[in-house]
Short mmCIF file of all heavy atoms in Angstrom, two decimals:
data_model
loop_
_atom_site.label_atom_id
_atom_site.label_comp_id
_atom_site.label_asym_id
_atom_site.label_seq_id
_atom_site.Cartn_x
_atom_site.Cartn_y
_atom_site.Cartn_z
N ASP A 1 0.83 -1.21 0.00
CA ASP A 1 0.00 0.00 0.00
C ASP A 1 0.87 1.25 0.00
O ASP A 1 0.56 2.24 -0.69
CB ASP A 1 -0.93 0.01 1.22
CG ASP A 1 -2.10 -0.94 1.06
OD1 ASP A 1 -2.50 -1.19 -0.09
OD2 ASP A 1 -2.60 -1.44 2.08
N LEU A 2 1.93 1.21 0.77
CA LEU A 2 2.82 2.38 0.83
C LEU A 2 3.58 2.54 -0.49
O LEU A 2 3.79 3.66 -0.97
CB LEU A 2 3.79 2.20 2.00
CG LEU A 2 4.39 3.47 2.63
CD1 LEU A 2 3.32 4.49 2.98
CD2 LEU A 2 5.19 3.10 3.87
N LEU A 3 3.96 1.42 -1.06
CA LEU A 3 4.65 1.47 -2.36
C LEU A 3 3.74 2.07 -3.43
O LEU A 3 4.16 2.89 -4.25
CB LEU A 3 5.08 0.06 -2.75
CG LEU A 3 5.99 -0.06 -3.98
CD1 LEU A 3 7.30 0.69 -3.76
CD2 LEU A 3 6.27 -1.53 -4.28
N GLN A 4 2.48 1.67 -3.40
CA GLN A 4 1.51 2.20 -4.36
C GLN A 4 1.32 3.71 -4.18
O GLN A 4 1.21 4.45 -5.16
CB GLN A 4 0.17 1.48 -4.21
CG GLN A 4 -0.92 1.99 -5.15
CD GLN A 4 -2.21 1.22 -4.98
OE1 GLN A 4 -2.23 0.00 -5.07
NE2 GLN A 4 -3.29 1.95 -4.72
N GLU A 5 1.29 4.14 -2.92
CA GLU A 5 1.14 5.58 -2.66
C GLU A 5 2.29 6.36 -3.27
O GLU A 5 2.09 7.44 -3.85
CB GLU A 5 1.10 5.83 -1.14
CG GLU A 5 -0.15 5.32 -0.44
CD GLU A 5 -1.40 6.06 -0.85
OE1 GLU A 5 -1.31 7.25 -1.21
OE2 GLU A 5 -2.47 5.43 -0.84
N ARG A 6 3.48 5.85 -3.15
CA ARG A 6 4.65 6.56 -3.69
C ARG A 6 4.64 6.56 -5.22
O ARG A 6 5.06 7.54 -5.84
CB ARG A 6 5.93 5.93 -3.14
CG ARG A 6 6.11 6.24 -1.66
CD ARG A 6 7.24 5.50 -1.01
NE ARG A 6 7.36 5.93 0.39
CZ ARG A 6 7.64 5.13 1.41
NH1 ARG A 6 7.85 3.84 1.20
NH2 ARG A 6 7.71 5.61 2.63
N ASN A 7 4.13 5.51 -5.81
CA ASN A 7 4.10 5.42 -7.27
C ASN A 7 3.03 6.32 -7.89
O ASN A 7 3.15 6.69 -9.06
CB ASN A 7 3.87 3.97 -7.70
CG ASN A 7 5.07 3.08 -7.43
OD1 ASN A 7 6.21 3.56 -7.38
ND2 ASN A 7 4.84 1.79 -7.25
N ARG A 8 2.00 6.64 -7.12
CA ARG A 8 0.90 7.43 -7.68
C ARG A 8 1.13 8.94 -7.55
O ARG A 8 0.33 9.73 -8.05
CB ARG A 8 -0.42 7.04 -7.02
CG ARG A 8 -0.55 7.51 -5.58
CD ARG A 8 -1.77 6.95 -4.88
NE ARG A 8 -3.02 7.39 -5.47
CZ ARG A 8 -4.20 7.33 -4.82
NH1 ARG A 8 -4.25 6.84 -3.59
NH2 ARG A 8 -5.30 7.75 -5.41
N ALA A 9 2.19 9.36 -6.88
CA ALA A 9 2.45 10.79 -6.70
C ALA A 9 2.60 11.49 -8.04
O ALA A 9 3.16 10.93 -8.99
CB ALA A 9 3.71 11.01 -5.86
N THR A 10 2.12 12.72 -8.13
CA THR A 10 2.16 13.47 -9.39
C THR A 10 3.39 14.36 -9.51
O THR A 10 3.55 15.06 -10.50
CB THR A 10 0.91 14.35 -9.53
OG1 THR A 10 0.91 15.34 -8.48
CG2 THR A 10 -0.36 13.52 -9.43
N PHE A 11 4.25 14.36 -8.50
CA PHE A 11 5.46 15.16 -8.54
C PHE A 11 6.61 14.36 -7.94
O PHE A 11 6.40 13.33 -7.30
CB PHE A 11 5.27 16.48 -7.77
CG PHE A 11 5.30 16.32 -6.27
CD1 PHE A 11 6.42 16.69 -5.53
CD2 PHE A 11 4.21 15.79 -5.57
CE1 PHE A 11 6.47 16.54 -4.15
CE2 PHE A 11 4.25 15.64 -4.20
CZ PHE A 11 5.38 16.01 -3.48
N ASP A 12 7.79 14.84 -8.16
CA ASP A 12 8.99 14.19 -7.65
C ASP A 12 9.31 14.75 -6.26
O ASP A 12 9.72 15.90 -6.13
CB ASP A 12 10.17 14.45 -8.60
CG ASP A 12 11.46 13.80 -8.12
OD1 ASP A 12 11.44 13.13 -7.07
OD2 ASP A 12 12.49 13.98 -8.79
N PRO A 13 9.10 13.96 -5.20
CA PRO A 13 9.32 14.49 -3.84
C PRO A 13 10.76 14.89 -3.56
O PRO A 13 11.02 15.69 -2.67
CB PRO A 13 8.87 13.34 -2.93
CG PRO A 13 8.91 12.12 -3.78
CD PRO A 13 8.61 12.57 -5.17
N SER A 14 11.71 14.34 -4.32
CA SER A 14 13.10 14.72 -4.09
C SER A 14 13.33 16.20 -4.37
O SER A 14 14.18 16.83 -3.74
CB SER A 14 14.04 13.87 -4.95
OG SER A 14 13.87 14.14 -6.33
N GLN A 15 12.54 16.77 -5.31
CA GLN A 15 12.68 18.19 -5.60
C GLN A 15 12.29 19.04 -4.39
O GLN A 15 12.89 20.07 -4.11
CB GLN A 15 11.82 18.57 -6.82
CG GLN A 15 12.24 17.87 -8.10
CD GLN A 15 13.70 18.11 -8.44
OE1 GLN A 15 14.18 19.24 -8.44
NE2 GLN A 15 14.43 17.02 -8.71
N LEU A 16 11.28 18.57 -3.66
CA LEU A 16 10.85 19.27 -2.45
C LEU A 16 11.88 19.07 -1.34
O LEU A 16 12.17 20.00 -0.57
CB LEU A 16 9.47 18.76 -2.02
CG LEU A 16 8.72 19.55 -0.95
CD1 LEU A 16 8.68 21.03 -1.25
CD2 LEU A 16 7.31 18.99 -0.79
N THR A 17 12.44 17.88 -1.26
CA THR A 17 13.50 17.62 -0.28
C THR A 17 14.70 18.54 -0.53
O THR A 17 15.28 19.09 0.40
CB THR A 17 13.95 16.15 -0.36
OG1 THR A 17 12.83 15.30 -0.12
CG2 THR A 17 15.03 15.86 0.67
N TYR A 18 15.05 18.69 -1.80
CA TYR A 18 16.18 19.56 -2.14
C TYR A 18 15.90 21.01 -1.75
O TYR A 18 16.81 21.74 -1.33
CB TYR A 18 16.51 19.47 -3.63
CG TYR A 18 16.95 18.11 -4.09
CD1 TYR A 18 16.81 17.73 -5.44
CD2 TYR A 18 17.49 17.19 -3.20
CE1 TYR A 18 17.21 16.47 -5.86
CE2 TYR A 18 17.89 15.93 -3.62
CZ TYR A 18 17.75 15.57 -4.96
OH TYR A 18 18.14 14.33 -5.38
N PHE A 19 14.64 21.42 -1.87
CA PHE A 19 14.28 22.77 -1.41
C PHE A 19 14.49 22.89 0.10
O PHE A 19 15.06 23.87 0.59
CB PHE A 19 12.83 23.09 -1.77
CG PHE A 19 12.25 24.21 -0.93
CD1 PHE A 19 12.63 25.53 -1.15
CD2 PHE A 19 11.35 23.93 0.09
CE1 PHE A 19 12.11 26.55 -0.36
CE2 PHE A 19 10.83 24.95 0.88
CZ PHE A 19 11.21 26.27 0.65
N LEU A 20 14.03 21.89 0.83
CA LEU A 20 14.10 21.95 2.29
C LEU A 20 15.54 21.96 2.79
O LEU A 20 15.83 22.55 3.84
CB LEU A 20 13.36 20.76 2.90
CG LEU A 20 11.84 20.76 2.73
CD1 LEU A 20 11.26 19.43 3.21
CD2 LEU A 20 11.20 21.91 3.50
N TYR A 21 16.44 21.30 2.04
CA TYR A 21 17.82 21.17 2.51
C TYR A 21 18.82 21.85 1.59
O TYR A 21 20.00 21.52 1.58
CB TYR A 21 18.16 19.69 2.71
CG TYR A 21 17.24 19.03 3.72
CD1 TYR A 21 16.27 18.12 3.31
CD2 TYR A 21 17.29 19.37 5.06
CE1 TYR A 21 15.40 17.54 4.23
CE2 TYR A 21 16.44 18.80 5.99
CZ TYR A 21 15.49 17.88 5.56
OH TYR A 21 14.64 17.32 6.47
N ASP A 22 18.33 22.82 0.81
CA ASP A 22 19.20 23.70 0.02
C ASP A 22 20.00 22.97 -1.06
O ASP A 22 21.20 23.23 -1.24
CB ASP A 22 20.15 24.48 0.94
CG ASP A 22 19.40 25.36 1.92
OD1 ASP A 22 18.40 25.97 1.51
OD2 ASP A 22 19.79 25.42 3.09
N GLY A 23 19.34 22.06 -1.77
CA GLY A 23 19.97 21.47 -2.94
C GLY A 23 20.33 20.00 -2.79
O GLY A 23 20.36 19.45 -1.69
N ALA A 24 20.62 19.37 -3.93
CA ALA A 24 20.92 17.94 -3.96
C ALA A 24 22.20 17.60 -3.19
O ALA A 24 22.25 16.61 -2.46
CB ALA A 24 21.03 17.47 -5.41
N GLU A 25 23.22 18.41 -3.36
CA GLU A 25 24.50 18.11 -2.70
C GLU A 25 24.39 18.22 -1.18
O GLU A 25 24.91 17.38 -0.45
CB GLU A 25 25.60 19.04 -3.23
CG GLU A 25 26.07 18.69 -4.62
CD GLU A 25 26.58 17.25 -4.73
OE1 GLU A 25 27.37 16.84 -3.84
OE2 GLU A 25 26.19 16.56 -5.66
N LYS A 26 23.68 19.26 -0.72
CA LYS A 26 23.54 19.42 0.73
C LYS A 26 22.61 18.34 1.31
O LYS A 26 22.77 17.94 2.47
CB LYS A 26 23.04 20.82 1.06
CG LYS A 26 24.10 21.88 0.81
CD LYS A 26 23.69 23.24 1.35
CE LYS A 26 24.82 24.25 1.18
NZ LYS A 26 24.47 25.59 1.71
N THR A 27 21.64 17.90 0.51
CA THR A 27 20.79 16.80 0.95
C THR A 27 21.61 15.52 1.09
O THR A 27 21.47 14.76 2.07
CB THR A 27 19.64 16.57 -0.04
OG1 THR A 27 18.85 17.75 -0.13
CG2 THR A 27 18.76 15.41 0.40
N LYS A 28 22.47 15.28 0.12
CA LYS A 28 23.36 14.12 0.18
C LYS A 28 24.26 14.20 1.41
O LYS A 28 24.48 13.19 2.11
CB LYS A 28 24.20 14.06 -1.09
CG LYS A 28 25.14 12.87 -1.18
CD LYS A 28 25.92 12.89 -2.50
CE LYS A 28 26.89 11.72 -2.59
NZ LYS A 28 27.66 11.76 -3.87
N ARG A 29 24.76 15.39 1.68
CA ARG A 29 25.63 15.59 2.85
C ARG A 29 24.84 15.36 4.14
O ARG A 29 25.36 14.73 5.07
CB ARG A 29 26.18 17.02 2.81
CG ARG A 29 26.99 17.44 4.02
CD ARG A 29 28.32 16.74 4.10
NE ARG A 29 29.14 17.33 5.15
CZ ARG A 29 30.24 16.77 5.63
NH1 ARG A 29 30.66 15.61 5.16
NH2 ARG A 29 30.94 17.37 6.57
N LYS A 30 23.61 15.84 4.19
CA LYS A 30 22.75 15.62 5.36
C LYS A 30 22.58 14.13 5.63
O LYS A 30 22.70 13.66 6.77
CB LYS A 30 21.39 16.27 5.14
CG LYS A 30 20.30 15.82 6.12
CD LYS A 30 18.93 16.08 5.55
CE LYS A 30 17.84 15.43 6.37
NZ LYS A 30 17.73 13.98 6.25
N ARG A 31 22.28 13.38 4.57
CA ARG A 31 22.05 11.94 4.72
C ARG A 31 23.32 11.23 5.19
O ARG A 31 23.24 10.31 6.02
CB ARG A 31 21.55 11.36 3.40
CG ARG A 31 20.13 11.81 3.06
CD ARG A 31 19.74 11.44 1.64
NE ARG A 31 18.36 11.82 1.35
CZ ARG A 31 17.82 11.83 0.14
NH1 ARG A 31 18.56 11.48 -0.92
NH2 ARG A 31 16.56 12.18 -0.03
N TYR A 32 24.45 11.65 4.68
CA TYR A 32 25.72 11.04 5.10
C TYR A 32 25.94 11.27 6.60
O TYR A 32 26.26 10.33 7.34
CB TYR A 32 26.88 11.63 4.31
CG TYR A 32 28.23 11.31 4.91
CD1 TYR A 32 28.79 10.04 4.79
CD2 TYR A 32 28.93 12.27 5.65
CE1 TYR A 32 30.01 9.73 5.37
CE2 TYR A 32 30.15 11.97 6.24
CZ TYR A 32 30.69 10.70 6.10
OH TYR A 32 31.89 10.40 6.69
N ILE A 33 25.77 12.50 7.04
CA ILE A 33 26.00 12.84 8.45
C ILE A 33 25.05 12.06 9.34
O ILE A 33 25.45 11.48 10.36
CB ILE A 33 25.84 14.36 8.66
CG1 ILE A 33 26.99 15.12 7.99
CG2 ILE A 33 25.76 14.70 10.14
CD1 ILE A 33 26.78 16.62 7.94
N GLN A 34 23.77 12.04 8.97
CA GLN A 34 22.79 11.38 9.83
C GLN A 34 22.97 9.87 9.84
O GLN A 34 22.89 9.24 10.90
CB GLN A 34 21.37 11.76 9.38
CG GLN A 34 21.05 13.23 9.61
CD GLN A 34 19.58 13.56 9.48
OE1 GLN A 34 18.86 12.98 8.68
NE2 GLN A 34 19.11 14.50 10.29
N ASN A 35 23.23 9.28 8.69
CA ASN A 35 23.44 7.82 8.64
C ASN A 35 24.68 7.40 9.42
O ASN A 35 24.68 6.36 10.10
CB ASN A 35 23.54 7.34 7.19
CG ASN A 35 22.21 7.41 6.47
OD1 ASN A 35 21.16 7.36 7.10
ND2 ASN A 35 22.25 7.54 5.15
#
């Protein structure tokens, strides 16, 4: 059910994530630090 929800989205959520964390590179850096 959760997989289906993600597949039916009409936009790319990563673009919103990049907005929240100031770009793809900084998002990648955030994930590295947290992991």
Side-chain angles (χ1 to χ4, degrees):
D1 284 332
L2 205 50
L3 188 61
Q4 179 179 305
E5 291 293 331
R6 289 172 177 141
N7 290 334
R8 71 188 296 198
T10 64
F11 76 104
D12 180 1
S14 67
Q15 297 304 310
L16 192 49
T17 302
Y18 297 157
F19 160 73
L20 291 172
Y21 300 109
D22 299 320
E25 286 303 313
K26 289 190 176 181
T27 300
K28 182 179 179 181
R29 174 70 171 166
K30 166 201 169 287
R31 290 169 177 168
Y32 166 76
I33 291 170
Q34 293 194 325
N35 289 335

